[in-house]
Amino acid sequence: MNIQLPIPILGFAAYSGTGKTTLLEALLPKLTNAGLRIGMLKHAHHNFDVDKEGKDSYRLRKAGASQMLISSRNRYALMTETPESESEFDYLLTRFDTDKLDIILVEGCKNIAFPKIELHREVVGKPWLYPSDNNIIAIAADSNVTDSSLPQMNINDLDAIAQFVIDYAQQNNQPKAQKSEGACCDTLSPAFLSVTQGQEKILSLVAPVQEVEGCSIADTVGRVLANDVSSPVNVPQYTNSAMDGYAIRGEDAELSDFDVVAEVLAGHAYDKPLEKGQAVKIMTGAPTPENADTVIMREQAQQEGDKVTFNASIKVGQNVRQAGEDLAKGSAVFEKGQRFASPEMGMIASLGFGQCEVFRKLKVAIFSTGDEVQAPGSEQQENAIYDSNRFTIMGMLNNLGCEILDFGIIEDNEALMIEALENASQQADVVITSGGVSVGDADYIKLALDKLGQIDFWRINMRPGRPLAFGQINNKPFFGLPGNPVAVMVSFINFVEPALRKMQGEVNWQPLKVNAIATEDLRSRQGRTEFSRGIYELDARGQLTVRTTGKQGSGILRSMSEANCLIEVSPAVDTVKTGESVTIIPLQGRI
Ligand code: AMP
Ligand code: MG
């Protein structure tokens, strides 16, 4: 290879049968998820057709077009006939639009000189390439090599291979200036992470609180259960009628009329066994008498004096709720880690519990930073903005049932910052700040955090909310959220809320995500997750649709207020067009 590409190139070299394509197919999602935009060059030994026989492009090509370009809303393809000879590798590379890519991966082209990972499986029974090919820069195999100092990975460890490619892309990307605007620092700064990587990292570093306390059922809303609960009783306790009507013995169903021997209201019982031909008038919820296993609803009955007849066919066992049908005595009801909402409160009460064991409340310290930030409730000063972040954070913490320690606004002064952070971390389980974490600005919180140790400054491949600091102060998790009001909320939703839920002891929480049809074009950028503020609704045809709230600036807090969801456009997607399906994250109950 003789040309200089503005982006790195990396090949995967192996003999056929090693499973190159399968490996790459599994690898690509991991790379796009990490924000890499991938170009792929594949060499095929055989003749191939891209389009299918009978398709317009196929027909025109076969009819004589030596170059055939077909384009639609989602992609275009240029097919060029090369009857004389195969195109040069270098020439093919120039066909890529490197402004829109971070790396080119090559499958095949074993004999051309450019950096490659050797893939090797013992069962294929082929020789190693690395001893005679100094373009091999790493080995992914299912056996160990002892005579080489090349980095080695297990061929089945996709995460390790993905990390190698990510690191390689980072190390070999040229400085920003040489690249187009579109592909700048976002994807390739030192600590760039995808949303999922950030979430996973944070979740792996926080642990649930241990302390448990008793809580009366009336106060359990939002609390998290600290032990498994099984039912001490049958629910319902006794077999009872599901209808207002007449209880009879199923075996009597064919009889033409019945003697009404009693009337039973809920809370009372008929204490004799039912005899042949007898019926008991019964109300919903009242216990069915012994032998009675079938209830005929009142609307299907005619009673005259003590005689009743039924004008509908009777199915034995109908309209009766069996004891323990809802929950049998001893059966599992809730598992440790269940968060209480109204159904859980009702259920635990229905088992007769007056109180239950819950994890203690999480204490969360919050403060705002920035000399320009002013507390509301006083006359606005020059060059100041009122603090909104502390209050949006408070609201979201309240929804999660956290105890809030409000440290107010800390001015941009290193010593005061350190004192406040130390103090907050001693009193709280978690510390959250907003502002001052953007990479490149000289806010004091960064200086303070550097002194306190253990804090990483990340750039998340998302918008809004790219900068995020996360770490530990005195072994307490610390979140440094961005300053822009929408970015604060979007970062909280994506990173803080899942972590707090885990710390509260909640198990297996997942945010609700559903698909809706976009009713407008949604612009995004490949390689980052775009969270637009959206409004979803059912259209006249009953289809779930979504539109944005309009202008999406990360300072426009009104967009959060008008939204009922976030629209999530994944890193693999460039633009969502009107009529296409997109993921939405409903926000009810969360903000
Ligand atoms: P920073 O990350 O500190 O540069 O802040 C980014 C933007 O968010 C700036 O325009 C800040 O003025 C604004 N900002 C920072 N903190 C707050 C806050 N507590 N309330 C509202 N806006 C804020
Ligand atoms: Mg600031």
Side-chain angles (χ1 to χ4, degrees):
M1 176 181 148
N2 297 312
I3 58 162
Q4 273 286 320
L5 281 179
I7 57 171
I9 176 169
L10 183 60
F12 290 81
Y15 285 94
S16 66
T18 314
K20 279 196 296 274
T21 308
T22 308
L23 184 141
L24 282 163
E25 189 185 7
L27 197 63
L28 287 182
K30 294 183 184 289
L31 302 177
T32 54
N33 211 8
L36 288 181
R37 300 164 304 167
I38 311 283
M40 204 61 244
L41 174 63
K42 180 187 163 75
H43 180 257
H45 289 285
H46 44 82
N47 190 14
F48 66 88
D49 269 325
V50 175
D51 50 1
K52 294 200 189 85
E53 197 170 339
K55 289 284 175 194
D56 291 357
S57 56
Y58 182 94
R59 289 165 55 197
L60 296 170
R61 193 155 57 84
K62 294 294 171 184
S66 66
Q67 295 204 355
M68 171 75 223
L69 197 152
I70 175 165
S71 143
S72 77
R73 207 173 66 185
N74 300 316
R75 65 190 63 82
Y76 73 84
L78 173 63
M79 287 165 274
T80 303
E81 302 300 308
T82 56
E84 296 81 27
S85 62
E86 185 168 348
S87 300
E88 294 278 337
F89 183 70
D90 284 9
Y91 171 76
L92 293 173
L93 289 177
T94 64
R95 305 294 82 201
F96 284 100
D97 182 354
T98 52
D99 280 353
K100 296 205 165 71
L101 299 175
D102 298 306
I103 188 167
I104 294 174
L105 301 181
V106 181
E107 183 188 337
C109 308
K110 247 198 331 266
N111 302 322
I112 297 168
F114 65 97
K116 290 170 210 140
I117 300 179
E118 173 167 11
L119 305 178
H120 182 95
R121 285 189 200 275
E122 287 295 321
V123 286
V124 180
K126 293 284 183 182
W128 289 92
L129 300 169
Y130 72 88
S132 55
D133 183 349
N134 58 13
N135 294 300
I136 303 289
I137 59 163
I139 295 168
D142 56 1
S143 58
N144 268 337
V145 166
T146 50
D147 61 351
S148 166
S149 57
L150 290 174
Q152 294 186 41
M153 297 161 277
N154 187 312
I155 192 167
N156 299 315
D157 186 352
L158 285 173
D159 286 328
I161 302 175
Q163 196 54 52
F164 183 89
V165 177
I166 293 164
D167 293 344
Y168 178 83
Q170 243 176 281
Q171 285 152 15
N172 292 282
N173 248 280
Q174 297 186 7
K176 241 187 333 194
Q178 292 185 27
K179 299 191 67 192
S180 75
E181 278 275 34
C184 82
C185 44
D186 242 21
T187 44
L188 295 162
S189 62
F192 74 95
L193 293 176
S194 71
V195 174
T196 321
Q197 285 173 324
Q199 286 167 340
E200 284 172 357
K201 245 183 164 136
I202 292 171
L203 283 176
S204 72
L205 292 168
V206 300
V209 292
Q210 294 300 320
E211 299 88 336
V212 164
E213 61 195 27
C215 182
S216 94
I217 302 299
D219 299 325
T220 50
V221 70
R223 302 301 295 268
V224 178
L225 193 63
N227 53 10
D228 293 346
V229 172
S230 55
S231 180
V233 293
N234 272 323
V235 182
Q237 186 193 344
Y238 46 85
T239 301
N240 66 82
S241 176
M243 290 281 178
D244 290 345
Y246 294 85
I248 61 165
R249 313 189 319 175
E251 62 204 276
D252 295 351
E254 300 302 320
L255 298 179
S256 58
D257 57 33
F258 294 80
D259 295 322
V260 180
V261 292
E263 183 170 343
V264 194
L265 302 177
H268 300 269
Y270 178 67
D271 55 8
K272 279 178 265 178
L274 216 57
E275 311 260 326
K276 180 168 184 183
Q278 290 184 338
V280 161
K281 191 172 181 190
I282 195 165
M283 299 301 145
T284 304
T288 47
E290 195 180 330
N291 296 339
D293 59 2
T294 302
V295 170
I296 299 98
M297 62 199 278
R298 194 155 64 187
E299 291 79 350
Q300 295 170 343
Q302 259 119 28
Q303 184 175 352
E304 272 179 42
D306 287 344
K307 287 276 180 210
V308 63
T309 56
F310 304 118
N311 56 15
S313 68
I314 299 167
K315 215 172 107 212
V316 175
Q318 70 183 22
N319 299 330
V320 171
R321 299 189 282 226
Q322 299 297 329
E325 161 183 305
D326 189 353
L327 285 172
K329 186 171 172 177
S331 63
V333 183
F334 295 126
E335 283 179 16
K336 175 177 168 175
Q338 166 79 45
R339 191 184 286 271
F340 277 85
S342 35
E344 290 74 31
M345 294 170 73
M347 266 177 79
I348 202 135
S350 76
L351 305 180
F353 290 108
Q355 67 158 40
C356 59
E357 296 283 286
V358 296
F359 289 109
R360 75 161 167 81
K361 282 194 175 185
L362 209 59
K363 283 185 237 152
V364 184
I366 54 173
F367 54 85
S368 300
T369 68
D371 275 347
E372 80 282 25
V373 181
Q374 182 191 344
S378 57
E379 201 183 321
Q380 191 154 33
Q381 292 154 17
E382 254 178 71
N383 307 319
I385 51 158
Y386 284 123
D387 182 4
S388 58
N389 293 343
R390 209 159 25 105
F391 302 94
T392 52
I393 294 172
M394 272 183 207
M396 293 185 287
L397 289 173
N398 262 316
N399 285 337
L400 288 165
C402 296
E403 196 180 307
I404 297 165
L405 310 182
D406 182 1
F407 280 72
I409 303 164
I410 315 287
E411 65 183 88
D412 278 334
N413 170 308
E414 191 182 328
L416 290 178
M417 289 281 182
I418 292 184
E419 191 186 316
L421 285 165
E422 285 274 7
N423 200 354
S425 66
Q426 260 143 28
Q427 295 181 42
D429 300 304
V430 186
V431 181
I432 302 175
T433 68
S434 69
V437 293
S438 342
V439 179
D441 68 18
D443 288 277
Y444 289 89
I445 187 135
K446 275 169 43 191
L447 300 175
L449 289 169
D450 276 342
K451 296 232 162 102
L452 291 164
Q454 291 297 300
I455 309 289
D456 289 321
F457 290 89
W458 294 340
R459 294 183 189 195
I460 309 285
N461 284 319
M462 66 187 267
R463 192 175 74 172
R466 185 173 66 159
L468 179 71
F470 177 76
Q472 315 271 334
I473 302 174
N474 289 322
N475 292 323
K476 307 286 178 63
F478 164 81
F479 291 87
L481 303 182
N484 275 311
V486 179
V488 165
M489 296 192 73
V490 172
S491 303
F492 186 100
I493 290 165
N494 277 291
F495 301 107
V496 184
E497 179 178 347
L500 294 183
R501 285 180 182 271
K502 180 175 177 190
M503 295 184 74
Q504 289 175 319
E506 190 171 356
V507 174
N508 290 335
W509 179 80
Q510 290 288 336
L512 175 63
K513 293 189 182 188
V514 290
N515 285 334
I517 302 297
T519 58
E520 63 184 270
D521 288 359
L522 303 170
R523 229 166 317 151
S524 178
R525 166 149 21 115
Q526 235 173 23
R528 79 173 172 211
T529 308
E530 193 91 17
F531 292 103
S532 305
R533 276 69 70 207
I535 299 170
Y536 70 88
E537 59 193 356
L538 287 180
D539 70 6
R541 288 182 302 161
Q543 194 169 47
L544 197 61
T545 61
V546 67
R547 62 193 150 94
T548 68
T549 54
K551 274 178 98 171
Q552 295 289 309
S554 64
I556 307 175
L557 199 48
R558 191 157 42 86
S559 70
M560 255 350 264
S561 167
E562 288 169 359
N564 61 9
C565 68
L566 292 177
I567 305 171
E568 182 187 66
V569 182
S570 77
V573 176
D574 209 355
T575 308
V576 176
K577 298 281 188 183
T578 306
E580 290 182 347
S581 176
V582 68
T583 302
I584 61 170
I585 305 172
L587 292 175
Q588 283 84 351
R590 296 183 66 187
I591 59 171

